[in-house]
Amino acid sequence: MDRYLSELFTISIMAFALGMDAFSVGLGLGMFKISLRQVLKIGLVVGAFHVLMPAVGIVLGEIFTIKFGRIATMVSGVLLIGLGLQMVASNLVSKRASNRIPSGIGLILFALGVSIDSFSVGLSFGMIGMKIAPILILFGIVAMLLTWVGLLLGRGIHKALGIYSKILGGFILTTIGIKIILLIH
């Protein structure tokens, strides 16, 4: 029983660490004028991708080397930098409020960007042959909850700072993307 609790604690910490990117990006994105319906939808999609990406990673982990995980992490960083710079630029050029909240393919790319690190974790799990169904569910739930918290906090900051919150949100996303890229070298 102690071993089970120890493993559960370790996996919970891992899920929280993986979900922190979703929280941080959600915080930046929440600084847009965002509805509660959009918050719900974004959190659900990010949570689903935090289940899907490590599952795909597990399957591919037996085939690919760990270097592929580094490339995927680099792509994640570049996506976040691009999204952040686009937010900053569009809000510096236009002082009017905009609602460029990810939807459709943009939402899928957004969720992919914040969950790509969990793909790398899945690769490593696949290489060591872990049984993972409960871990995947935990990853998804934690990422979804942290995304919601980030989005809701961002909404509060948006109400306090107005248009400047969007520029701050863009800087946050860009900084996270740069951090991701710098950490893989």
Side-chain angles (χ1 to χ4, degrees):
M1 185 69 165
D2 282 338
R3 181 175 177 228
Y4 174 76
L5 289 176
S6 175
E7 287 177 8
L8 180 62
F9 178 74
T10 301
I11 297 301
S12 296
I13 295 296
M14 187 180 297
F16 186 79
L18 289 172
M20 284 308 293
D21 278 349
F23 168 80
S24 300
V25 173
L27 182 64
L29 186 61
M31 291 183 197
F32 277 95
K33 187 176 181 183
I34 187 168
S35 71
L36 289 176
R37 184 177 184 173
Q38 290 167 318
V39 168
L40 177 67
K41 183 178 180 180
I42 292 168
L44 288 171
V45 172
V46 168
F49 267 81
H50 270 77
V51 172
L52 178 66
M53 294 305 290
V56 170
I58 289 167
V59 170
L60 296 178
E62 298 171 359
I63 301 168
F64 294 109
T65 66
I66 201 71
K67 287 223 180 238
F68 186 75
R70 290 179 58 139
I71 292 168
T73 302
M74 177 71 80
V75 169
S76 169
V78 169
L79 285 172
L80 290 175
I81 290 170
L83 180 61
L85 290 176
Q86 185 275 329
M87 285 173 63
V88 170
S90 69
N91 286 289
L92 286 176
V93 170
S94 172
K95 292 290 184 184
R96 64 183 169 79
S98 74
N99 274 337
R100 298 189 59 117
I101 306 302
S103 62
I105 191 72
L107 178 55
I108 291 170
L109 291 174
F110 171 77
L112 178 65
V114 298
S115 64
I116 203 79
D117 54 347
S118 59
F119 172 78
S120 300
V121 170
L123 279 174
S124 62
F125 283 173
M127 288 181 199
I128 61 176
M130 286 187 75
K131 294 185 180 163
I132 189 117
I135 295 170
L136 293 177
I137 293 167
L138 183 63
F139 282 4
I141 290 171
V142 170
M144 178 183 62
L145 293 174
L146 287 173
T147 301
W148 285 342
V149 169
L151 288 166
L152 293 173
L153 285 174
R155 280 184 69 195
I157 292 169
H158 171 75
K159 288 178 183 172
L161 299 179
I163 190 87
Y164 300 105
S165 67
K166 296 175 187 179
I167 295 169
L168 176 62
F171 279 121
I172 290 171
L173 295 181
T174 303
T175 303
I176 293 167
I178 291 169
K179 178 197 84 150
I180 288 170
I181 290 172
L182 292 176
L183 288 177
I184 63 172
H185 291 298

